[in-house]
Amino acid sequence: MAENTQIQLVTFQLGGEIYGVDIMDVKEIVKIVPVRPIPNAPYYVEGIFTLRSEIIPVINLHKRFQLKKMEITDDMTEDDGGFVILNIDGNEIGIIIDRVARVVTINTDEIQPPPQMISGIGTEYIHGVIRQDGNYLIMLDIRRLFNANELQRILGEDEETA
């Protein structure tokens, strides 16, 4: 009998969908703070901010995937949004979220392959989809969200030759 393993996902809302990332890839969740723009950055890079003397680039997945921002409802405040700080192979990157959901525990056998297209996000960025409470939870593959060249460009490690 195959052993059923469990993973924990940090879930959050972007537009009308709920997304999740492996809790082991999340350093922390912080409230929105002012972000300083970076000249010549890719269109989906909002800028940088400093968190405990570390400079963190901030990515706007709304722009990256052409997602609409979540509509503000009466039960929401500005404090609902924030940044999820991801650790991608030793590099910290913040992604803007509309609303923090919760941490959920998922059985790995519940993860289904993604359909061809979900709300503008291609399947190459999705690890899988979990049906939960009558809705779908989209599990992102953070290592595929940014390829090595993009990470270098975002993190400013590009060695420019004159």
Side-chain angles (χ1 to χ4, degrees), residues 1 7 43 56 66-67 70 75 81 90 95 117 123 148 160:
M1 182 153 85
I7 57 171
Y43 70 95
I56 310 286
Q66 291 88 42
L67 297 173
M70 188 173 125
D75 65 334
I95 58 172
M117 189 67 86
T123 56
E160 293 184 24

Side-chain angles (χ1 to χ4, degrees), residues 13 30-32 69-83 96-101:
Q13 190 159 358
V30 297
K31 293 190 182 304
I32 289 188
K69 286 190 81 60
M70 188 173 125
E71 290 188 27
I72 304 296
T73 60
D74 291 340
D75 65 334
M76 291 178 64
T77 68
E78 291 213 0
D79 292 337
D80 286 340
F83 303 137
I96 298 171
I97 59 171
D98 289 333
R99 187 180 217 174
V100 176

Side-chain angles (χ1 to χ4, degrees), residues 41-150:
Y43 70 95
Y44 54 84
V45 176
E46 279 302 300
I48 56 174
F49 77 102
T50 304
L51 179 66
R52 289 185 288 284
S53 70
E54 286 190 54
I55 296 174
I56 310 286
V58 177
I59 307 302
N60 187 327
L61 293 181
H62 295 92
K63 290 180 181 176
R64 175 83 192 251
F65 299 124
Q66 291 88 42
L67 297 173
K68 290 185 177 165
K69 286 190 81 60
M70 188 173 125
E71 290 188 27
I72 304 296
T73 60
D74 291 340
D75 65 334
M76 291 178 64
T77 68
E78 291 213 0
D79 292 337
D80 286 340
F83 303 137
V84 174
I85 310 300
L86 301 172
N87 186 329
I88 303 175
D89 302 325
N91 298 305
E92 292 179 1
I93 293 180
I95 58 172
I96 298 171
I97 59 171
D98 289 333
R99 187 180 217 174
V100 176
R102 56 195 169 129
V103 175
V104 296
T105 301
I106 300 293
N107 292 322
T108 54
D109 64 355
E110 294 178 63
I111 302 171
Q112 302 294 313
Q116 284 303 322
M117 189 67 86
I118 297 178
S119 299
I121 296 181
T123 56
E124 66 268 29
Y125 305 116
I126 299 173
H127 178 76
V129 177
I130 300 105
R131 186 157 176 76
Q132 198 175 47
D133 302 328
N135 291 314
Y136 290 100
L137 168 59
I138 302 164
M139 186 176 172
L140 295 175
D141 183 337
I142 66 162
R143 279 161 188 76
R144 290 189 180 171
L145 281 178
F146 313 103
N147 66 35
N149 290 339
E150 286 177 312

Side-chain angles (χ1 to χ4, degrees), residues 12-51:
F12 52 88
Q13 190 159 358
L14 277 178
E17 302 287 345
I18 299 290
Y19 296 88
V21 292
D22 191 320
I23 198 168
M24 300 307 290
D25 295 325
V26 175
K27 180 178 180 194
E28 63 187 296
I29 299 169
V30 297
K31 293 190 182 304
I32 289 188
V33 295
V35 174
R36 188 172 350 153
I38 304 171
N40 302 318
Y43 70 95
Y44 54 84
V45 176
E46 279 302 300
I48 56 174
F49 77 102
T50 304
L51 179 66

